[in-house]
C-alpha cells in the first residue's frame, strides 16, 4: 500500500486509520515546516516519556501485587498448619484472629505501597511535563526552528 494513501483508508470498524505524518503536509507549511517538525518531535518525545513513566508505575504496582500474593500464600499455609494443630475451639479462634490480623496488616502494606507508587508516578509525570514546558518557554518558536536547522547542518 502506498504510504500517501494511509490517511484516506479506514479500519474494519469504519473509523479513519491512525494519523500518519506525510511530507506533503509539511510542504504546505512552507517556511514554518522546520518549526512544525520541532514541535511535532517535542510532542512525540513528551508522549513517549509519559507512556514510559506510566508503564513504570504500572510495573511497580504489579510487583506489589505479586509480592502481596506470595505473602498471602505464605500466611495461608502457616494458618492451615496451625488450624490442623489446634485441639479446641479457643485454639481455633486464636488462629483465626491471628490470620485476620495478618490479612489486615498485609492489606495496609499493599495499599500503602500502591499509594506510594501512584504518588511517585504522578510526581514523575509532573517532572516530565514541567521540564517539557520549561524547554518550550525557554526557546521562542523562531529560534527553535533555527536551532534545528543549525544542528542538521
Amino acid at each position: 500500500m502506498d504510504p500517501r494513501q494511509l490517511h484516506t483508508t479506514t479500519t474494519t470498524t469504519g473509523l479513519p486509520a491512525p494519523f500518519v505524518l506525510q511530507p506533503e503536509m509539511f510542504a504546505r507549511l512552507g517556511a514554518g515546516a522546520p518549526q512544525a517538525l520541532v514541535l511535532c518531535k517535542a510532542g512525540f518525545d513528551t508522549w513517549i516519556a509519559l507512556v514510559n513513566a506510566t508503564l513504570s508505575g504500572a510495573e511497580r504496582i504489579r510487583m506489589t501485587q505479586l509480592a502481596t500474593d506470595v505473602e498471602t500464600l505464605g500466611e495461608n499455609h502457616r494458618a492451615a498448619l496451625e488450624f490442623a494443630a489446634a485441639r479446641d475451639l479457643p485454639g481455633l479462634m486464636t488462629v483465626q484472629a491471628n490470620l485476620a490480623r495478618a490479612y489486615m496488616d498485609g492489606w495496609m502494606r499493599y495499599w500503602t505501597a500502591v499509594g506510594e507508587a501512584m504518588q511517585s508516578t504522578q510526581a514523575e509525570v509532573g517532572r516530565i511535563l514541567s521540564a517539557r514546558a520549561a524547554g518550550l518557554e525557554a526557546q521562542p518558536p523562531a529560534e527553535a526552528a533555527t536551532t534545528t536547522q543549525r544542528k542538521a547542518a
Side-chain angles (χ1 to χ4, degrees):
M1 173 179 253
D2 185 6
R4 287 173 276 161
Q5 294 176 345
L6 286 177
H7 70 284
T8 60
T9 61
T10 57
T11 61
T12 56
T13 61
L15 297 173
F19 180 73
V20 178
L21 293 176
Q22 299 175 7
E24 59 266 12
M25 292 176 169
F26 294 109
R28 284 186 241 141
L29 293 174
Q35 178 184 354
L37 288 172
V38 168
L39 292 175
C40 185
K41 181 184 181 311
F44 284 133
D45 288 344
T46 301
W47 179 77
I48 288 171
L50 291 173
V51 167
N52 286 336
T54 304
L55 289 176
S56 174
E59 182 181 11
R60 284 191 296 267
I61 289 174
R62 186 63 187 130
M63 294 306 292
T64 300
Q65 290 171 338
L66 181 61
T68 302
D69 287 347
V70 169
E71 183 181 331
T72 301
L73 287 173
E75 287 294 327
N76 288 344
H77 179 71
R78 183 192 56 77
L81 294 175
E82 289 179 8
F83 273 123
R87 300 286 179 221
D88 57 0
L89 185 59
L92 289 174
M93 296 302 287
T94 301
V95 172
Q96 192 275 336
N98 290 341
L99 184 59
R101 191 174 306 112
Y103 280 169
M104 182 56 105
D105 289 344
W107 183 82
M108 292 297 291
R109 277 193 304 276
Y110 172 76
W111 284 107
T112 299
V114 167
E116 289 170 354
M118 291 170 59
Q119 183 179 15
S120 68
T121 300
Q122 188 71 20
E124 190 174 342
V125 166
R127 280 192 302 273
I128 290 168
L129 292 177
S130 295
R132 302 296 173 161
L136 289 176
E137 291 172 0
Q139 201 172 32
E143 272 186 42
T146 306
T147 304
T148 305
Q149 289 172 348
R150 275 189 243 136
K151 287 180 183 176

